[in-house]
Amino acid sequence: MDYKADATFVPGDWVPYFFPGIKVEVFHGMARNKRGHSSEDESDHYRIRGWFDLYCTQAASDTAKFQELAKQHQHFAVAHTGWPKLDPLFSQPHEDRRHRAEGDLPVIFYASTFSRSVTSAPVLVDKIAELAASGRWKFIVTLHPKMDPLVVHQYRRLKGDNLRFVESDEDLLPILPEADVMLCDTSSIMFEFMFLDRPVVTFRTRMPGPYLIDVNRVEELEPALAKALEYPDPLMSAARNLCDDLHSFRDGCSSARILDAVDDFQANKKLGLRSKPLNLIRKLKVRRRLRRELRKP
């Protein structure tokens, strides 16, 4: 408000409607069906809530879908820009396979989402502790900021020579290249890791496919990790194809494209749009939510 902003960039699904300038949706994840809807089109990624003037999309498929929605609603525009979160990942050099000196242990990056219906963290804590203590593996562990504090405490206690715990507020992108394999459940960070051209193992994921190795039993976990270390051709090929479908760009310039898209919107597209819907109930909820936040000590 103090800056009298020309644009507000939003990596979430709502924004205070009274902020000045246009509201730009840049997304907090990729267009994948994490909630188990009957189809990708029904996922939350494509829900139009009436907050945004400009949607900055990541790939040809989600761009086409949002362009269809833009024709239907006529109160927002769409720009195919890529996802700015991936810019640092594409800008830093990395090898497709991490070089391991003789005797170095393979490193597993474990990340888990917080939702009780899909998280693997409570089920796998004992197994990860066992594997780290075995001397056969090293782990880097991070958990979603909304994870049950008791579960977070259990993993923090595992810190040692073969397990590093990374707090949820740390920047994970520079850490991802330190791992050979990712272990995950239904967290979208698995797709970010795939852009390193490295394999992913999941435990009871809601997003299965040939691009990952999914297991349902704890005892299947270590064999799956060992298989992933072999970088099987079918697995890696499927993961590359998925990455191409998820994100169109590899140049690390998505942030610049978003800024250009804002300029283009202001100059060429803004006047041709209808007014956004009144959203009276949602606006009341936003004000109530902000009042609660302001009352917090």
Side-chain angles (χ1 to χ4, degrees):
M1 299 283 286
D2 290 342
Y3 279 111
K4 298 179 175 59
D6 294 303
T8 298
F9 301 98
V10 186
D13 56 16
W14 70 282
V15 62
Y17 62 92
F18 46 82
F19 278 9
I22 66 169
K23 318 303 185 293
V24 184
E25 172 65 275
V26 296
F27 299 103
H28 63 275
M30 293 188 176
R32 301 304 296 167
N33 188 359
K34 294 175 61 177
R35 305 292 183 185
H37 296 284
S38 59
S39 72
E40 186 69 35
D41 289 351
E42 295 178 11
S43 70
D44 291 346
H45 192 81
Y46 297 111
R47 183 178 296 173
I48 304 302
R49 296 175 171 87
W51 296 126
F52 302 107
D53 302 283
L54 177 63
Y55 284 79
C56 292
T57 53
Q58 302 159 1
S61 57
D62 68 320
T63 301
K65 178 62 178 176
F66 275 107
Q67 286 173 338
E68 290 177 9
L69 292 168
K71 289 179 182 178
Q72 175 185 338
H73 294 278
Q74 299 184 35
H75 60 73
F76 62 87
V78 179
H80 185 191
T81 61
W83 195 28
K85 185 181 179 182
L86 293 181
D87 281 356
L89 191 68
F90 293 137
S91 300
Q92 60 182 347
H94 62 267
E95 298 177 346
D96 292 343
R97 296 196 188 198
R98 190 179 70 90
H99 175 72
R100 294 206 315 269
E102 187 175 351
D104 281 355
L105 297 178
V107 178
I108 310 301
F109 192 109
Y110 174 59
S112 178
T113 191
F114 72 98
S115 175
R116 291 183 180 181
S117 63
V118 295
T119 182
S120 61
V123 180
L124 295 184
V125 61
D126 291 337
K127 187 63 178 180
I128 289 175
E130 174 196 324
L131 293 177
S134 72
R136 297 187 295 271
W137 308 88
K138 283 191 173 183
F139 281 85
I140 302 170
V141 174
T142 192
L143 301 174
H144 194 282
K146 292 184 179 180
M147 181 65 72
D148 182 341
L150 177 60
V151 176
V152 175
H153 177 68
Q154 290 177 309
Y155 278 91
R156 279 203 190 106
R157 290 178 59 187
L158 300 180
K159 287 190 294 187
D161 292 340
N162 289 339
L163 192 145
R164 170 185 173 190
F165 186 83
V166 180
E167 298 294 341
S168 61
D169 59 352
E170 292 190 47
D171 184 4
L172 300 179
L173 286 183
I175 302 174
L176 292 181
E178 299 178 20
D180 300 287
V181 177
M182 173 168 280
L183 173 61
C184 198
D185 36 46
T186 306
S187 173
S188 60
I189 194 175
M190 73 170 81
F191 303 118
E192 298 168 39
F193 187 79
M194 286 180 190
F195 282 101
L196 294 172
D197 203 26
R198 299 180 191 179
V200 173
V201 173
T202 54
F203 185 80
R204 299 174 186 170
T205 186
R206 290 279 186 90
M207 297 183 287
Y211 44 81
L212 50 77
I213 301 173
D214 187 49
V215 299
N216 289 298
R217 296 183 299 167
V218 172
E219 56 268 26
E220 297 173 326
L221 191 59
E222 188 170 17
L225 293 172
K227 180 180 179 181
L229 280 176
E230 298 173 1
Y231 283 58
D233 287 338
L235 174 72
M236 303 311 298
S237 178
R240 293 181 196 113
N241 290 336
L242 175 66
C243 288
D244 289 340
D245 288 340
L246 289 175
H247 199 270
S248 302
F249 306 99
R250 299 290 189 278
D251 57 7
C253 296
S254 293
S255 299
R257 276 187 292 272
I258 286 176
L259 294 177
D260 290 342
V262 168
D263 289 341
D264 179 61
F265 179 90
Q266 300 278 35
N268 302 311
K269 297 178 180 176
K270 184 176 181 179
L271 293 178
L273 298 178
R274 294 178 178 174
S275 298
K276 293 197 290 289
L278 287 176
N279 266 352
L280 291 177
I281 294 178
R282 283 178 174 158
K283 287 177 179 177
L284 288 172
K285 289 181 178 178
V286 165
R287 287 193 172 274
R288 189 181 304 119
R289 181 174 184 173
L290 291 173
R291 281 197 296 269
R292 285 199 302 266
E293 292 296 323
L294 290 172
R295 291 194 192 105
K296 290 183 179 179

Short mmCIF file of all heavy atoms in Angstrom, two decimals, residues 62-91:
data_model
loop_
_atom_site.label_atom_id
_atom_site.label_comp_id
_atom_site.label_asym_id
_atom_site.label_seq_id
_atom_site.Cartn_x
_atom_site.Cartn_y
_atom_site.Cartn_z
N ASP A 62 -1.11 -25.90 -19.55
CA ASP A 62 -1.87 -25.08 -18.61
C ASP A 62 -2.16 -23.70 -19.21
O ASP A 62 -3.18 -23.08 -18.89
CB ASP A 62 -1.18 -24.98 -17.25
CG ASP A 62 0.11 -24.20 -17.28
OD1 ASP A 62 0.87 -24.35 -18.24
OD2 ASP A 62 0.37 -23.45 -16.31
N THR A 63 -1.30 -23.22 -20.12
CA THR A 63 -1.59 -21.97 -20.80
C THR A 63 -2.87 -22.08 -21.62
O THR A 63 -3.75 -21.20 -21.56
CB THR A 63 -0.42 -21.57 -21.72
OG1 THR A 63 0.78 -21.44 -20.94
CG2 THR A 63 -0.71 -20.25 -22.42
N ALA A 64 -3.00 -23.18 -22.37
CA ALA A 64 -4.20 -23.37 -23.18
C ALA A 64 -5.45 -23.44 -22.31
O ALA A 64 -6.50 -22.87 -22.65
CB ALA A 64 -4.06 -24.65 -24.02
N LYS A 65 -5.34 -24.13 -21.18
CA LYS A 65 -6.50 -24.24 -20.29
C LYS A 65 -6.89 -22.88 -19.72
O LYS A 65 -8.08 -22.52 -19.70
CB LYS A 65 -6.19 -25.22 -19.15
CG LYS A 65 -7.30 -25.37 -18.12
CD LYS A 65 -8.57 -25.92 -18.72
CE LYS A 65 -9.66 -26.10 -17.66
NZ LYS A 65 -10.93 -26.53 -18.25
N PHE A 66 -5.91 -22.10 -19.27
CA PHE A 66 -6.23 -20.79 -18.72
C PHE A 66 -6.73 -19.83 -19.80
O PHE A 66 -7.56 -18.95 -19.52
CB PHE A 66 -5.02 -20.20 -17.99
CG PHE A 66 -4.90 -20.66 -16.56
CD1 PHE A 66 -3.91 -21.56 -16.19
CD2 PHE A 66 -5.78 -20.21 -15.59
CE1 PHE A 66 -3.80 -22.00 -14.88
CE2 PHE A 66 -5.68 -20.64 -14.27
CZ PHE A 66 -4.69 -21.54 -13.92
N GLN A 67 -6.24 -19.97 -21.01
CA GLN A 67 -6.76 -19.14 -22.10
C GLN A 67 -8.22 -19.44 -22.38
O GLN A 67 -9.02 -18.53 -22.67
CB GLN A 67 -5.90 -19.33 -23.35
CG GLN A 67 -4.54 -18.64 -23.26
CD GLN A 67 -3.63 -18.96 -24.42
OE1 GLN A 67 -3.81 -19.97 -25.10
NE2 GLN A 67 -2.64 -18.11 -24.64
N GLU A 68 -8.62 -20.72 -22.29
CA GLU A 68 -10.03 -21.08 -22.43
C GLU A 68 -10.86 -20.42 -21.33
O GLU A 68 -11.95 -19.89 -21.57
CB GLU A 68 -10.19 -22.60 -22.35
CG GLU A 68 -9.66 -23.37 -23.55
CD GLU A 68 -9.79 -24.87 -23.35
OE1 GLU A 68 -10.46 -25.27 -22.37
OE2 GLU A 68 -9.23 -25.63 -24.15
N LEU A 69 -10.33 -20.47 -20.10
CA LEU A 69 -11.04 -19.86 -18.97
C LEU A 69 -11.11 -18.34 -19.11
O LEU A 69 -12.11 -17.72 -18.73
CB LEU A 69 -10.35 -20.25 -17.66
CG LEU A 69 -10.44 -21.73 -17.29
CD1 LEU A 69 -9.49 -22.06 -16.13
CD2 LEU A 69 -11.87 -22.09 -16.90
N ALA A 70 -10.06 -17.75 -19.68
CA ALA A 70 -10.06 -16.30 -19.89
C ALA A 70 -11.15 -15.89 -20.88
O ALA A 70 -11.83 -14.86 -20.69
CB ALA A 70 -8.68 -15.85 -20.38
N LYS A 71 -11.34 -16.67 -21.94
CA LYS A 71 -12.41 -16.38 -22.91
C LYS A 71 -13.77 -16.51 -22.24
O LYS A 71 -14.70 -15.75 -22.54
CB LYS A 71 -12.32 -17.34 -24.08
CG LYS A 71 -11.13 -17.09 -25.00
CD LYS A 71 -11.09 -18.10 -26.15
CE LYS A 71 -9.89 -17.88 -27.04
NZ LYS A 71 -9.83 -18.89 -28.15
N GLN A 72 -13.89 -17.46 -21.33
CA GLN A 72 -15.16 -17.68 -20.65
C GLN A 72 -15.48 -16.55 -19.67
O GLN A 72 -16.60 -16.03 -19.65
CB GLN A 72 -15.11 -19.02 -19.91
CG GLN A 72 -16.33 -19.33 -19.06
CD GLN A 72 -16.15 -20.61 -18.27
OE1 GLN A 72 -15.34 -21.48 -18.63
NE2 GLN A 72 -16.89 -20.74 -17.19
N HIS A 73 -14.49 -16.15 -18.87
CA HIS A 73 -14.75 -15.16 -17.80
C HIS A 73 -14.54 -13.72 -18.27
O HIS A 73 -15.21 -12.80 -17.74
CB HIS A 73 -13.85 -15.46 -16.61
CG HIS A 73 -14.15 -16.75 -15.91
ND1 HIS A 73 -15.15 -16.87 -14.98
CD2 HIS A 73 -13.60 -17.98 -16.03
CE1 HIS A 73 -15.21 -18.13 -14.54
NE2 HIS A 73 -14.27 -18.82 -15.16
N GLN A 74 -13.58 -13.49 -19.13
CA GLN A 74 -13.33 -12.18 -19.74
C GLN A 74 -12.92 -11.08 -18.76
O GLN A 74 -13.07 -9.89 -19.06
CB GLN A 74 -14.55 -11.72 -20.55
CG GLN A 74 -14.90 -12.68 -21.69
CD GLN A 74 -16.05 -12.17 -22.54
OE1 GLN A 74 -16.19 -10.97 -22.76
NE2 GLN A 74 -16.87 -13.10 -23.02
N HIS A 75 -12.40 -11.46 -17.58
CA HIS A 75 -11.94 -10.43 -16.65
C HIS A 75 -10.47 -10.62 -16.26
O HIS A 75 -9.99 -9.97 -15.33
CB HIS A 75 -12.83 -10.36 -15.40
CG HIS A 75 -12.90 -11.64 -14.61
ND1 HIS A 75 -11.86 -12.11 -13.84
CD2 HIS A 75 -13.90 -12.53 -14.46
CE1 HIS A 75 -12.20 -13.23 -13.24
NE2 HIS A 75 -13.45 -13.52 -13.61
N PHE A 76 -9.76 -11.47 -16.97
CA PHE A 76 -8.32 -11.60 -16.72
C PHE A 76 -7.63 -12.00 -18.02
O PHE A 76 -8.26 -12.46 -18.98
CB PHE A 76 -8.02 -12.62 -15.62
CG PHE A 76 -8.46 -14.04 -15.93
CD1 PHE A 76 -7.65 -14.91 -16.64
CD2 PHE A 76 -9.70 -14.50 -15.49
CE1 PHE A 76 -8.04 -16.21 -16.91
CE2 PHE A 76 -10.11 -15.81 -15.76
CZ PHE A 76 -9.28 -16.66 -16.47
N ALA A 77 -6.31 -11.79 -18.04
CA ALA A 77 -5.48 -12.16 -19.19
C ALA A 77 -4.51 -13.25 -18.78
O ALA A 77 -4.31 -13.53 -17.59
CB ALA A 77 -4.74 -10.94 -19.73
N VAL A 78 -3.88 -13.88 -19.77
CA VAL A 78 -2.96 -14.99 -19.55
C VAL A 78 -1.66 -14.73 -20.30
O VAL A 78 -1.69 -14.27 -21.45
CB VAL A 78 -3.59 -16.32 -20.03
CG1 VAL A 78 -2.62 -17.49 -19.82
CG2 VAL A 78 -4.91 -16.58 -19.32
N ALA A 79 -0.53 -15.02 -19.66
CA ALA A 79 0.78 -14.90 -20.31
C ALA A 79 1.58 -16.16 -20.03
O ALA A 79 1.66 -16.62 -18.88
CB ALA A 79 1.53 -13.67 -19.81
N HIS A 80 2.15 -16.74 -21.06
CA HIS A 80 2.98 -17.95 -20.93
C HIS A 80 4.41 -17.51 -20.62
O HIS A 80 5.16 -17.12 -21.50
CB HIS A 80 2.92 -18.73 -22.24
CG HIS A 80 3.63 -20.05 -22.20
ND1 HIS A 80 3.87 -20.80 -23.33
CD2 HIS A 80 4.16 -20.77 -21.17
CE1 HIS A 80 4.51 -21.89 -23.01
NE2 HIS A 80 4.70 -21.89 -21.69
N THR A 81 4.78 -17.59 -19.34
CA THR A 81 6.04 -17.02 -18.87
C THR A 81 7.01 -18.04 -18.29
O THR A 81 8.22 -17.81 -18.27
CB THR A 81 5.78 -15.97 -17.77
OG1 THR A 81 5.12 -16.62 -16.66
CG2 THR A 81 4.93 -14.84 -18.30
N GLY A 82 6.50 -19.16 -17.79
CA GLY A 82 7.31 -20.04 -16.95
C GLY A 82 7.16 -19.65 -15.49
O GLY A 82 6.57 -18.62 -15.14
N TRP A 83 7.72 -20.49 -14.62
CA TRP A 83 7.57 -20.32 -13.16
C TRP A 83 8.82 -19.69 -12.59
O TRP A 83 9.91 -20.26 -12.68
CB TRP A 83 7.33 -21.69 -12.54
CG TRP A 83 6.81 -21.68 -11.14
CD1 TRP A 83 6.07 -20.71 -10.55
CD2 TRP A 83 6.98 -22.70 -10.15
NE1 TRP A 83 5.75 -21.05 -9.25
CE2 TRP A 83 6.30 -22.28 -8.99
CE3 TRP A 83 7.63 -23.93 -10.16
CZ2 TRP A 83 6.27 -23.05 -7.83
CZ3 TRP A 83 7.59 -24.70 -9.00
CH2 TRP A 83 6.93 -24.27 -7.85
N PRO A 84 8.73 -18.51 -11.98
CA PRO A 84 9.94 -17.83 -11.49
C PRO A 84 10.71 -18.61 -10.43
O PRO A 84 11.92 -18.43 -10.30
CB PRO A 84 9.40 -16.51 -10.94
CG PRO A 84 7.95 -16.75 -10.68
CD PRO A 84 7.50 -17.73 -11.71
N LYS A 85 10.02 -19.48 -9.69
CA LYS A 85 10.72 -20.22 -8.64
C LYS A 85 11.85 -21.07 -9.21
O LYS A 85 12.85 -21.34 -8.53
CB LYS A 85 9.74 -21.11 -7.88
CG LYS A 85 10.41 -21.83 -6.69
CD LYS A 85 9.45 -22.72 -5.94
CE LYS A 85 10.18 -23.42 -4.80
NZ LYS A 85 9.31 -24.36 -4.07
N LEU A 86 11.71 -21.53 -10.45
CA LEU A 86 12.72 -22.40 -11.04
C LEU A 86 13.91 -21.65 -11.63
O LEU A 86 14.91 -22.28 -12.00
CB LEU A 86 12.09 -23.28 -12.13
CG LEU A 86 11.07 -24.32 -11.66
CD1 LEU A 86 10.56 -25.13 -12.85
CD2 LEU A 86 11.66 -25.24 -10.60
N ASP A 87 13.84 -20.34 -11.71
CA ASP A 87 14.95 -19.58 -12.30
C ASP A 87 16.30 -19.89 -11.65
O ASP A 87 17.29 -20.13 -12.35
CB ASP A 87 14.67 -18.08 -12.23
CG ASP A 87 13.70 -17.62 -13.32
OD1 ASP A 87 13.31 -18.46 -14.17
OD2 ASP A 87 13.34 -16.44 -13.33
N PRO A 88 16.40 -19.90 -10.32
CA PRO A 88 17.71 -20.21 -9.72
C PRO A 88 18.19 -21.63 -10.04
O PRO A 88 19.40 -21.86 -10.17
CB PRO A 88 17.46 -20.04 -8.21
CG PRO A 88 16.27 -19.16 -8.11
CD PRO A 88 15.41 -19.52 -9.29
N LEU A 89 17.25 -22.56 -10.16
CA LEU A 89 17.63 -23.94 -10.46
C LEU A 89 18.22 -24.04 -11.86
O LEU A 89 19.23 -24.72 -12.07
CB LEU A 89 16.40 -24.85 -10.35
CG LEU A 89 16.65 -26.37 -10.38
CD1 LEU A 89 17.39 -26.80 -9.12
CD2 LEU A 89 15.35 -27.13 -10.50
N PHE A 90 17.64 -23.34 -12.82
CA PHE A 90 18.14 -23.40 -14.18
C PHE A 90 19.37 -22.51 -14.37
O PHE A 90 20.14 -22.70 -15.31
CB PHE A 90 17.05 -22.97 -15.17
CG PHE A 90 15.89 -23.91 -15.24
CD1 PHE A 90 14.59 -23.45 -15.27
CD2 PHE A 90 16.10 -25.28 -15.28
CE1 PHE A 90 13.51 -24.31 -15.34
CE2 PHE A 90 15.02 -26.16 -15.35
CZ PHE A 90 13.74 -25.68 -15.38
N SER A 91 19.56 -21.55 -13.49
CA SER A 91 20.68 -20.62 -13.64
C SER A 91 21.98 -21.18 -13.06
O SER A 91 23.06 -20.76 -13.47
CB SER A 91 20.35 -19.29 -12.95
OG SER A 91 19.21 -18.69 -13.53
#
